[in-house]
Amino acid sequence: MPPSPALPPRLWDAPEITGWRRLPLHAVSRRDQGDRIGLDGSWRFQLLPGPECGLADRWSRVEVPGCWTVQDFDDVHGVGDLPHYTNIPMPWPEPPPHLPAVNPTGVYEREVDIPAGWVGRRIVLHVGAAESVLIAEVNGEPVGAGKDAHLASEFDVSGAVRAGESNTVRLTVVKWSDASYVEDQDQWWHGGITRSVFLYATDPLYLADVRVTAGLEAGSAGRLRVDADVRYTGGVLPEGWHISGSLEGREEPLVTEPAGQHRAAGWQGVATLTATVPDVRAWSAETPDLYALTVRLHRPDGTVADEARCRTGFRTVEVRGRDLLINGERVFIRGVNRHDFHPLTGRVVSEDDMRADLVIMKRFGFNAVRTSHYPGDPALLDLADELGLYVVDEADIESHGHYDEIAHEPGYRAAFVERVARMVTRDKNHPSVIVWSLGNESGYGPNHDAAAGWLRRYDRTRPLQYEGAIHTGWSQTWTATDIVCPMYSAIDTIIEHTTSGEQTKPLILSEYSHAMGNSNGSLADYWAAFESTPGLQGGFMWEFWDHGILQRLSDGRPAGPGTVGGYTAGVAAPGHRWAYGGDFGDTPNDGAFCADGLVLPDRTPKPGMDEHRELAAPVRLRLPDYGAREVLVRNHQHFRDLSWLTGEWRLETPGSAVVLAPADLPPLGPGESTAVPVPPDLLARMPETGEVWLTLSVRTADDEAWAPRGTELCAPQVRLRCETRGLLARAGAREPDMAPVCVDDQGFVVHPRLAAPPVLSLWRAPTDNDRLGEPADRWAEQGLATAARSLTNIKRDGERVVVRAEYATAAGVVVHEQALTALAGGVLLVEEMAVVPEGLDDLPRVGTVFTAAEGLDQAEWFGHGPGETYPDRYAGGPVGRYGAPVRELFTPYLRPQESGGRHGVRWFSLHDAGVGLIVHLDEPRQVSLTRFTAADLAVAEHHDELTARPCVTVHLDAAHRGVGTASCGPDTLPAYRVGPGTHRWSWTLNAM
């Protein structure tokens, strides 16, 4: 499609051109106000191999908004453009602003009838977002162009449309451009129009922008200021225009500033409204109180020419020393990074999708979201205002593949400033936005300082941040950041900074606890540091989504919009799989690195969500000392009392059913605590022996905007009594049985409930953290997965049999001893020892593996649960008695790996119809029950390659390596690693 001579030549490879005839962005919402014609739906479509190629006679059809990369259409030019995933590198090797020879270009067309009543009105075409260059035409006439794949472009089409007639709108989207180099984010590359398209009409006299500043004054009063920017299509404003306004709950109108301030120039009108609001309800993430605000623009005769409506919240944000303050309070930022993502539609998300994202964040204790790494749809911020989430609003700037170069390139200076300015101009009225971000992973250069300079002059009510500005030192006083916001820094490093005497700014991690696969180890250790160290205030976990696109196995294409029944509970349906980098033939690619979220692609929570929920608990419990008959209850919120919550006590013991009792939460204000007696009825029902746990299930007392009444928000727990009984007493074992232990000539136990005997296990299927860190390669070199067992001897001593064996690895021999004793009642006592040589200084596990007899598919256990837990991630699993089919214990991470473990297990059973086995452990141990072997998981790349085995594989570990976050961040902390030396563990096996 040869470009019109009216357009700037080859604007897709001219970084100095950020737009052409594009209107300034503004904060006046036209989405559902005033005269509007929606253009979403089916459009004629052709996908060209380049922006200068000609159109064919035959058109296909696609949906708008929509990514052409995930839609099925008649690809008449044979371009074959599918999703492409990279984290850092660009999809082509040439330097900026050079582009690949094939540059997919989508041409969209449709007709629209313009009402006759729009004659003489100002008519604007709004395109919510397009990746990455948009060229707009109406009736064959170019009306404008824009760059920036994640902000709207608006064009005045008044002179191009024919009111009362049918008009043709053509939108051309060029996928690759100079802008792609600053949109190199860690996500799938798509192409298309990804947000809504519509036309709207205004009076010739209109509100070009409205700025709302709603702060707090001393006492409980709110201070409101509204600044209106008024324009007139005829040029010079008519004499006598004026504005008025009203605020919900306030009977008197807003006060207009003196008339002399109404006009800045003949063509630009500026007017201000102010009000003091007594007894205002302050906005915060805990108390997201909003006030409906209406601003009206009046013609000289008093009639209303235009109107803007929004919801505003009264709150303050400031950085004071080392603290970020909201409404004067130092708050913890319990944040998460979020991309726009949907497994069927790619980058296109509906308002319902966005609401579902934020609702689940709230339910799992998050109070903040970073719009990584571009501004979200305006509806996302409306929802954050309503539901209560602090927002770090991030500009669409990331040049990761050319990290430090573009920030110094003069040709991109306008793009940096424009992207920041347009975001801020659009989003300035949202109380949820507390920090502006200059972008992500783009080095640091004068282009950032230029953008920061504009921003500091335009908005002095919020701090700004940029991680790249701290690379030369966390104590530098660069203008581009008010917050030290590092990525993936170790706990020791951030604590060291706060105690160095050089910290001058708040430290809030912009990214931490990388959630790729089985991950989020040591999240509790991070929060212990955040809550105990002045100068630390939390951070934003990476990230919310696993970016697995649902792929059809039949043809390898995305399943696409409209697919029904393609997945459930995090698992792709038969005939489908979750695709990651390389699965669409995309090269170069970064594989499964896009599967790094806290929820699976269908929004099913991963275990890290449970961990965060408990660490963010609004209510905390503490036991003054063992034997106490009261517990300390603390309100861990910043602004809200406990009246919105209700509770229930649970008494958990290893051998008895749970005992319940209602809990009356004390009337505690934010940060307050008090002692509460344990209900006497619970104390009276405690067993005489054994450990006892007291859990407080905290739920919503009434419906919240993000949770129905009765939603559990946390389950803090204290141990009222420790276990003092030995293994045999807990297992109900008695004196030795005179019957001999049955072992074969290789020293393997023979037992009716076992399909394969218990042997030493040193290896696990590598997690993503193991693979991308160093451990998996080292374990492979050491030969842990295939360590050869050789029997040393079998020694019988009455009813006791001692089997000694050696396991050869490339780093030395592991000596393993099993002492087997038959006890009365059919109980088998197994006492084990493993001597690990110094060369094996970092093992995945030391323990036992066996296979249960076929058909034992129902599991019960007493330990952490009900979800998956590991040695460095178990705060989200209260100790209790749980049960589930074995298949439900498995976590379907996108790339198969070690999963499904349960930490701190005291006993477990496998059974079916009353027949099975029960195992008691000498102390709380890591246990996994799975239908897959470690080898099965290690060789599979996707879940469609796995076949569940008929028998359950059982791992019970004396020691198990934590999961850490080494795929991007610190490896497993030393306290959670498995080293050399002598490991001992014991357990009993009994048939049921």
Side-chain angles (χ1 to χ4, degrees), residues 83-93 188-189 581-582 585-591:
H84 189 152
Y85 171 63
T86 62
N87 171 30
I88 298 175
M90 296 294 294
W92 62 89
W188 292 96
W189 294 97
D586 44 315
T587 56
N589 68 77
D590 285 293

PDB file of all heavy atoms in Angstrom, residues 83-93 188-189 581-582 585-591:
ATOM      1  N   PRO A  83       2.820 -15.048  16.947  1.00  0.00           N
ATOM      2  CA  PRO A  83       3.454 -14.472  18.133  1.00  0.00           C
ATOM      3  C   PRO A  83       4.944 -14.839  18.205  1.00  0.00           C
ATOM      4  O   PRO A  83       5.355 -15.939  17.819  1.00  0.00           O
ATOM      5  CB  PRO A  83       2.679 -15.104  19.295  1.00  0.00           C
ATOM      6  CG  PRO A  83       1.353 -15.465  18.709  1.00  0.00           C
ATOM      7  CD  PRO A  83       1.636 -15.865  17.305  1.00  0.00           C
ATOM      8  N   HIS A  84       5.720 -13.901  18.725  1.00  0.00           N
ATOM      9  CA  HIS A  84       7.180 -14.069  18.816  1.00  0.00           C
ATOM     10  C   HIS A  84       7.600 -13.580  20.190  1.00  0.00           C
ATOM     11  O   HIS A  84       7.305 -12.452  20.572  1.00  0.00           O
ATOM     12  CB  HIS A  84       7.864 -13.247  17.726  1.00  0.00           C
ATOM     13  CG  HIS A  84       9.325 -13.505  17.577  1.00  0.00           C
ATOM     14  ND1 HIS A  84       9.989 -13.336  16.383  1.00  0.00           N
ATOM     15  CD2 HIS A  84      10.277 -13.916  18.461  1.00  0.00           C
ATOM     16  CE1 HIS A  84      11.274 -13.641  16.539  1.00  0.00           C
ATOM     17  NE2 HIS A  84      11.466 -13.973  17.809  1.00  0.00           N
ATOM     18  N   TYR A  85       8.310 -14.456  20.938  1.00  0.00           N
ATOM     19  CA  TYR A  85       8.717 -14.069  22.289  1.00  0.00           C
ATOM     20  C   TYR A  85      10.218 -13.858  22.400  1.00  0.00           C
ATOM     21  O   TYR A  85      11.004 -14.748  22.068  1.00  0.00           O
ATOM     22  CB  TYR A  85       8.299 -15.118  23.322  1.00  0.00           C
ATOM     23  CG  TYR A  85       8.909 -14.829  24.683  1.00  0.00           C
ATOM     24  CD1 TYR A  85       8.586 -13.649  25.363  1.00  0.00           C
ATOM     25  CD2 TYR A  85       9.846 -15.677  25.257  1.00  0.00           C
ATOM     26  CE1 TYR A  85       9.177 -13.349  26.574  1.00  0.00           C
ATOM     27  CE2 TYR A  85      10.429 -15.388  26.475  1.00  0.00           C
ATOM     28  CZ  TYR A  85      10.100 -14.218  27.132  1.00  0.00           C
ATOM     29  OH  TYR A  85      10.681 -13.891  28.331  1.00  0.00           O
ATOM     30  N   THR A  86      10.590 -12.675  22.858  1.00  0.00           N
ATOM     31  CA  THR A  86      11.961 -12.415  23.302  1.00  0.00           C
ATOM     32  C   THR A  86      11.902 -11.631  24.604  1.00  0.00           C
ATOM     33  O   THR A  86      10.955 -10.882  24.850  1.00  0.00           O
ATOM     34  CB  THR A  86      12.777 -11.613  22.276  1.00  0.00           C
ATOM     35  OG1 THR A  86      12.173 -10.324  22.076  1.00  0.00           O
ATOM     36  CG2 THR A  86      12.890 -12.329  20.953  1.00  0.00           C
ATOM     37  N   ASN A  87      12.920 -11.809  25.413  1.00  0.00           N
ATOM     38  CA  ASN A  87      13.043 -11.044  26.646  1.00  0.00           C
ATOM     39  C   ASN A  87      13.928  -9.822  26.412  1.00  0.00           C
ATOM     40  O   ASN A  87      13.512  -8.694  26.642  1.00  0.00           O
ATOM     41  CB  ASN A  87      13.624 -11.932  27.752  1.00  0.00           C
ATOM     42  CG  ASN A  87      13.994 -11.156  28.996  1.00  0.00           C
ATOM     43  OD1 ASN A  87      13.379 -10.145  29.308  1.00  0.00           O
ATOM     44  ND2 ASN A  87      15.011 -11.600  29.706  1.00  0.00           N
ATOM     45  N   ILE A  88      15.138 -10.048  25.940  1.00  0.00           N
ATOM     46  CA  ILE A  88      16.089  -8.948  25.755  1.00  0.00           C
ATOM     47  C   ILE A  88      16.335  -8.634  24.289  1.00  0.00           C
ATOM     48  O   ILE A  88      16.164  -7.492  23.870  1.00  0.00           O
ATOM     49  CB  ILE A  88      17.418  -9.261  26.475  1.00  0.00           C
ATOM     50  CG1 ILE A  88      17.188  -9.393  27.982  1.00  0.00           C
ATOM     51  CG2 ILE A  88      18.445  -8.167  26.190  1.00  0.00           C
ATOM     52  CD1 ILE A  88      18.422  -9.808  28.761  1.00  0.00           C
ATOM     53  N   PRO A  89      16.752  -9.595  23.465  1.00  0.00           N
ATOM     54  CA  PRO A  89      17.150  -9.241  22.095  1.00  0.00           C
ATOM     55  C   PRO A  89      15.969  -8.834  21.240  1.00  0.00           C
ATOM     56  O   PRO A  89      14.830  -9.278  21.451  1.00  0.00           O
ATOM     57  CB  PRO A  89      17.791 -10.533  21.580  1.00  0.00           C
ATOM     58  CG  PRO A  89      17.127 -11.619  22.359  1.00  0.00           C
ATOM     59  CD  PRO A  89      16.891 -11.042  23.726  1.00  0.00           C
ATOM     60  N   MET A  90      16.244  -7.982  20.261  1.00  0.00           N
ATOM     61  CA  MET A  90      15.256  -7.686  19.245  1.00  0.00           C
ATOM     62  C   MET A  90      15.114  -8.900  18.329  1.00  0.00           C
ATOM     63  O   MET A  90      16.036  -9.717  18.218  1.00  0.00           O
ATOM     64  CB  MET A  90      15.682  -6.463  18.433  1.00  0.00           C
ATOM     65  CG  MET A  90      15.751  -5.170  19.242  1.00  0.00           C
ATOM     66  SD  MET A  90      14.133  -4.621  19.845  1.00  0.00           S
ATOM     67  CE  MET A  90      13.306  -4.214  18.308  1.00  0.00           C
ATOM     68  N   PRO A  91      14.012  -9.035  17.629  1.00  0.00           N
ATOM     69  CA  PRO A  91      13.831 -10.190  16.737  1.00  0.00           C
ATOM     70  C   PRO A  91      14.716 -10.154  15.490  1.00  0.00           C
ATOM     71  O   PRO A  91      14.687 -11.091  14.702  1.00  0.00           O
ATOM     72  CB  PRO A  91      12.349 -10.106  16.359  1.00  0.00           C
ATOM     73  CG  PRO A  91      11.710  -9.325  17.456  1.00  0.00           C
ATOM     74  CD  PRO A  91      12.754  -8.313  17.838  1.00  0.00           C
ATOM     75  N   TRP A  92      15.451  -9.094  15.291  1.00  0.00           N
ATOM     76  CA  TRP A  92      16.384  -9.008  14.157  1.00  0.00           C
ATOM     77  C   TRP A  92      17.694  -8.387  14.654  1.00  0.00           C
ATOM     78  O   TRP A  92      17.715  -7.674  15.667  1.00  0.00           O
ATOM     79  CB  TRP A  92      15.786  -8.179  13.013  1.00  0.00           C
ATOM     80  CG  TRP A  92      15.493  -6.762  13.381  1.00  0.00           C
ATOM     81  CD1 TRP A  92      16.323  -5.692  13.294  1.00  0.00           C
ATOM     82  CD2 TRP A  92      14.257  -6.247  13.910  1.00  0.00           C
ATOM     83  NE1 TRP A  92      15.705  -4.542  13.726  1.00  0.00           N
ATOM     84  CE2 TRP A  92      14.432  -4.860  14.108  1.00  0.00           C
ATOM     85  CE3 TRP A  92      13.027  -6.827  14.221  1.00  0.00           C
ATOM     86  CZ2 TRP A  92      13.424  -4.055  14.620  1.00  0.00           C
ATOM     87  CZ3 TRP A  92      12.028  -6.017  14.716  1.00  0.00           C
ATOM     88  CH2 TRP A  92      12.223  -4.650  14.917  1.00  0.00           C
ATOM     89  N   PRO A  93      18.805  -8.638  13.960  1.00  0.00           N
ATOM     90  CA  PRO A  93      20.113  -8.229  14.495  1.00  0.00           C
ATOM     91  C   PRO A  93      20.541  -6.810  14.174  1.00  0.00           C
ATOM     92  O   PRO A  93      21.471  -6.291  14.805  1.00  0.00           O
ATOM     93  CB  PRO A  93      21.074  -9.235  13.843  1.00  0.00           C
ATOM     94  CG  PRO A  93      20.416  -9.569  12.533  1.00  0.00           C
ATOM     95  CD  PRO A  93      18.931  -9.537  12.800  1.00  0.00           C
ATOM     96  N   TRP A 188       5.438 -11.212  24.651  1.00  0.00           N
ATOM     97  CA  TRP A 188       5.257 -11.591  23.245  1.00  0.00           C
ATOM     98  C   TRP A 188       5.179 -10.348  22.367  1.00  0.00           C
ATOM     99  O   TRP A 188       4.566  -9.341  22.736  1.00  0.00           O
ATOM    100  CB  TRP A 188       3.959 -12.372  23.075  1.00  0.00           C
ATOM    101  CG  TRP A 188       3.926 -13.732  23.701  1.00  0.00           C
ATOM    102  CD1 TRP A 188       3.425 -14.051  24.933  1.00  0.00           C
ATOM    103  CD2 TRP A 188       4.384 -14.962  23.137  1.00  0.00           C
ATOM    104  NE1 TRP A 188       3.544 -15.389  25.171  1.00  0.00           N
ATOM    105  CE2 TRP A 188       4.130 -15.993  24.079  1.00  0.00           C
ATOM    106  CE3 TRP A 188       4.981 -15.304  21.922  1.00  0.00           C
ATOM    107  CZ2 TRP A 188       4.451 -17.327  23.844  1.00  0.00           C
ATOM    108  CZ3 TRP A 188       5.304 -16.630  21.681  1.00  0.00           C
ATOM    109  CH2 TRP A 188       5.039 -17.614  22.636  1.00  0.00           C
ATOM    110  N   TRP A 189       5.777 -10.438  21.203  1.00  0.00           N
ATOM    111  CA  TRP A 189       5.560  -9.424  20.166  1.00  0.00           C
ATOM    112  C   TRP A 189       4.285  -9.797  19.413  1.00  0.00           C
ATOM    113  O   TRP A 189       4.111 -10.940  18.979  1.00  0.00           O
ATOM    114  CB  TRP A 189       6.727  -9.393  19.174  1.00  0.00           C
ATOM    115  CG  TRP A 189       8.040  -8.940  19.731  1.00  0.00           C
ATOM    116  CD1 TRP A 189       9.055  -9.735  20.178  1.00  0.00           C
ATOM    117  CD2 TRP A 189       8.497  -7.597  19.860  1.00  0.00           C
ATOM    118  NE1 TRP A 189      10.123  -8.968  20.594  1.00  0.00           N
ATOM    119  CE2 TRP A 189       9.808  -7.648  20.413  1.00  0.00           C
ATOM    120  CE3 TRP A 189       7.948  -6.346  19.587  1.00  0.00           C
ATOM    121  CZ2 TRP A 189      10.561  -6.509  20.673  1.00  0.00           C
ATOM    122  CZ3 TRP A 189       8.692  -5.206  19.840  1.00  0.00           C
ATOM    123  CH2 TRP A 189       9.980  -5.288  20.388  1.00  0.00           C
ATOM    124  N   GLY A 581       8.112 -19.288  24.230  1.00  0.00           N
ATOM    125  CA  GLY A 581       9.029 -18.897  23.177  1.00  0.00           C
ATOM    126  C   GLY A 581       9.554 -20.077  22.379  1.00  0.00           C
ATOM    127  O   GLY A 581      10.013 -21.066  22.936  1.00  0.00           O
ATOM    128  N   GLY A 582       9.499 -19.966  21.052  1.00  0.00           N
ATOM    129  CA  GLY A 582       9.958 -21.010  20.158  1.00  0.00           C
ATOM    130  C   GLY A 582       8.868 -21.938  19.684  1.00  0.00           C
ATOM    131  O   GLY A 582       9.039 -22.635  18.672  1.00  0.00           O
ATOM    132  N   GLY A 585       7.687 -21.371  16.153  1.00  0.00           N
ATOM    133  CA  GLY A 585       8.775 -21.267  15.192  1.00  0.00           C
ATOM    134  C   GLY A 585       9.502 -19.940  15.247  1.00  0.00           C
ATOM    135  O   GLY A 585      10.258 -19.597  14.328  1.00  0.00           O
ATOM    136  N   ASP A 586       9.298 -19.197  16.324  1.00  0.00           N
ATOM    137  CA  ASP A 586       9.884 -17.868  16.448  1.00  0.00           C
ATOM    138  C   ASP A 586      11.343 -17.974  16.890  1.00  0.00           C
ATOM    139  O   ASP A 586      11.648 -18.599  17.887  1.00  0.00           O
ATOM    140  CB  ASP A 586       9.075 -17.015  17.433  1.00  0.00           C
ATOM    141  CG  ASP A 586       8.678 -17.774  18.699  1.00  0.00           C
ATOM    142  OD1 ASP A 586       8.220 -18.925  18.580  1.00  0.00           O
ATOM    143  OD2 ASP A 586       8.808 -17.211  19.796  1.00  0.00           O
ATOM    144  N   THR A 587      12.211 -17.355  16.115  1.00  0.00           N
ATOM    145  CA  THR A 587      13.640 -17.277  16.463  1.00  0.00           C
ATOM    146  C   THR A 587      14.133 -15.871  16.157  1.00  0.00           C
ATOM    147  O   THR A 587      13.710 -15.260  15.172  1.00  0.00           O
ATOM    148  CB  THR A 587      14.466 -18.294  15.646  1.00  0.00           C
ATOM    149  OG1 THR A 587      14.240 -18.072  14.252  1.00  0.00           O
ATOM    150  CG2 THR A 587      14.102 -19.708  16.005  1.00  0.00           C
ATOM    151  N   PRO A 588      15.040 -15.328  16.987  1.00  0.00           N
ATOM    152  CA  PRO A 588      15.483 -15.896  18.262  1.00  0.00           C
ATOM    153  C   PRO A 588      14.346 -15.854  19.287  1.00  0.00           C
ATOM    154  O   PRO A 588      13.358 -15.143  19.091  1.00  0.00           O
ATOM    155  CB  PRO A 588      16.609 -14.955  18.675  1.00  0.00           C
ATOM    156  CG  PRO A 588      16.208 -13.637  18.079  1.00  0.00           C
ATOM    157  CD  PRO A 588      15.570 -13.984  16.758  1.00  0.00           C
ATOM    158  N   ASN A 589      14.513 -16.622  20.361  1.00  0.00           N
ATOM    159  CA  ASN A 589      13.490 -16.597  21.402  1.00  0.00           C
ATOM    160  C   ASN A 589      14.133 -16.874  22.750  1.00  0.00           C
ATOM    161  O   ASN A 589      15.270 -17.327  22.829  1.00  0.00           O
ATOM    162  CB  ASN A 589      12.390 -17.618  21.109  1.00  0.00           C
ATOM    163  CG  ASN A 589      12.886 -19.044  21.222  1.00  0.00           C
ATOM    164  OD1 ASN A 589      13.062 -19.577  22.322  1.00  0.00           O
ATOM    165  ND2 ASN A 589      13.145 -19.677  20.075  1.00  0.00           N
ATOM    166  N   ASP A 590      13.380 -16.603  23.799  1.00  0.00           N
ATOM    167  CA  ASP A 590      13.856 -16.831  25.162  1.00  0.00           C
ATOM    168  C   ASP A 590      13.040 -17.889  25.882  1.00  0.00           C
ATOM    169  O   ASP A 590      12.869 -17.846  27.111  1.00  0.00           O
ATOM    170  CB  ASP A 590      13.873 -15.509  25.939  1.00  0.00           C
ATOM    171  CG  ASP A 590      15.037 -14.631  25.518  1.00  0.00           C
ATOM    172  OD1 ASP A 590      16.182 -15.015  25.795  1.00  0.00           O
ATOM    173  OD2 ASP A 590      14.799 -13.591  24.885  1.00  0.00           O
ATOM    174  N   GLY A 591      12.534 -18.858  25.112  1.00  0.00           N
ATOM    175  CA  GLY A 591      11.936 -20.052  25.685  1.00  0.00           C
ATOM    176  C   GLY A 591      10.822 -19.769  26.666  1.00  0.00           C
ATOM    177  O   GLY A 591       9.928 -18.951  26.436  1.00  0.00           O
TER     178      GLY A 591
END
